[in-house]
Amino acid sequence: MYKYAYHIVYSAGMIQPVHYDTLIYNVRIASMQANGKPYGALTGSAVAIHNGVIADILDSDSLDAVTAETVTDAQQQWLLPGFIDCHTHLVYGGDRANEFEMRLQGLTYKDIALQGGGIKSTVAKTRAACEEALFKSAVKRANRLAEEGVTTIEVKSGYGLDNDTELRMLRVAKSLESELPVRISTTFLGAHALPAEFADNADAYIDFVCDTVLPNVARNNLADAVDVFCESIGFTNAQTEKVFKAAQQYGLPVKAHVEQLTDSKGAVLAAKYGALSVDHIEYLAESDIPHLAASGSVAVLLPGAFYYLHETQKPPVNTLRQHNVPMAVATDLNPGSSPVASLLTAMNMACVLFALTPEEALRGGTLYAAKALGLSDRGEIKPGKLADLTLWDIESPAELVYTLNGHRPTQVFLGGQHV
Ligand code: DI6
Ligand code: FE
C-alpha cells in the first residue's frame, strides 16, 4: 500500500507558483482519451486538480512552478479515470437464486418469464419492500462496484411497474449518493415488463407509463433518461416508439434494451430517436449498424447476461468496430440475468466472450460508458473533466482486465476529494 499523501510541501522556485487543490505526481496516466495512443497515454506524469476538476496535466520538470494543498506521490502507480457502470438494475427486492437453479435444470430465461417468474417475481418483492429496505440492499450492491473503482453508476427503475414503486426505486437510487462516494445517473424503465394488473393489455400499460408515471418522474426530476425493454417478451416497436415520443416531450434522452433475444429492429428504432445507447444487441443485424453510426448511439455490451443465460449468439463486435460505433461495457447488475456486481469482471467477460481488447474494454467502462449516459464531463483524464480518478498498483492497465484477481484501487478521488 502506498500512503504518501502529505500537505503543502511542494515549494515554489523563483517563478510565481500556480496553486491547485490537489496534485498527484509520479504517476503513469492511462487517460482513456481517444488520442490514438494505447489507453490514451500522455507524456505528462502529474495531474493537478482544482475545484473538483482536472486543471492540468504536467510534466515532472514543471512541478517546481506548482503548489497544492494536498500532494500525493503515486510512486509510479497507474492513474485511470473512475469507472462508470452505465447499465444496472441494482435497486430491487428479494433475489432469484431459485431461478438460477431452474435454469440449470434446463428451463430457459424465457420459459421462466412466461411462467410468471423472472422480472415479475422481482416486481412482487420490490413492491413489498419499503424505501429503507430497498436502500439497504442497494447500498451493499453499489458498494461492491464502488470498492472496485466505479465512481458513476447508472441505475434503472423497472421493478415497480406502478407509479409509487417506480418513483420509490428512483429516489432510492439517487440517495445512494448520500451514502457512498459515487455519482448516480437514473433511468426510468417503466416499460420493462407487463404488470399483472395490465395482463393482456400492454397498450393500456404503455399509456399509463406515458401519461401517468413518466410525467411524475419528470416533474420530480427523478430520471436522467428513459429506457424500454423492446423485445419479444418485452414491448413491441410501436409501444417502444410511444414511450420514446413521451420522453422527448419531457426533454429526456432515450436508450433501449434491444436485440437481446431476437432481432426485433429495436436498434434502428432507437437510432431514429437519437438514443444515447442501445444495450445488449447480441441479435443486432450487421446491416443495421450504419444507423447506429449515424445516430451516434453507443453500443452497450452486457456480457454478464450473455454468460448467465448461456447465450451463444455474440454481438457483432467486428462490424461495430468497422463502423466506429463506440462500445461500452456494463454489468447489467440485476437479480435474474446478470447477478454480477463487478465491472472488471464484466470487462474481462467482454474480452474473453466477445473478443474486445483490454483497451476497448477499459474505454468501454470509462470514456464510452460516459457517452452512453450523455455525460461529457467525465470518463477520461483531461483538463476540464471531473477529477474522478483511481490509482492502481499494477504493471499495466491490461492487467485489470486480463486477470480475475479482485483488483482494488489503492486510492479513489471523487471530484478531487480522496475518499
Ligand atoms: N434485460 C435484462 O438483462 C434485464 N432486464 C432486461 O430487460 C433482466 C432483468 C431481470 O431478469 O430481472
Ligand atoms: Fe438490463
Side-chain angles (χ1 to χ4, degrees), residues 59 79 112 131 143 232 250 273 282 287 381 406:
D59 295 327
L79 190 71
I112 294 169
E131 197 144 338
N143 193 39
S232 52
Y250 288 96
Y273 283 82
E282 281 87 341
S287 54
I381 299 178

Side-chain angles (χ1 to χ4, degrees), residues 289-301:
I289 291 175
H291 292 268
L292 299 179
S295 66
S297 308
V298 175
V300 177
L301 308 179

Side-chain angles (χ1 to χ4, degrees), residues 382-398:
K382 196 180 198 178
K385 304 286 171 174
L386 291 171
D388 296 353
L389 305 164
T390 52
L391 256 186
W392 302 86
D393 183 14
I394 48 175
E395 292 305 315
S396 69

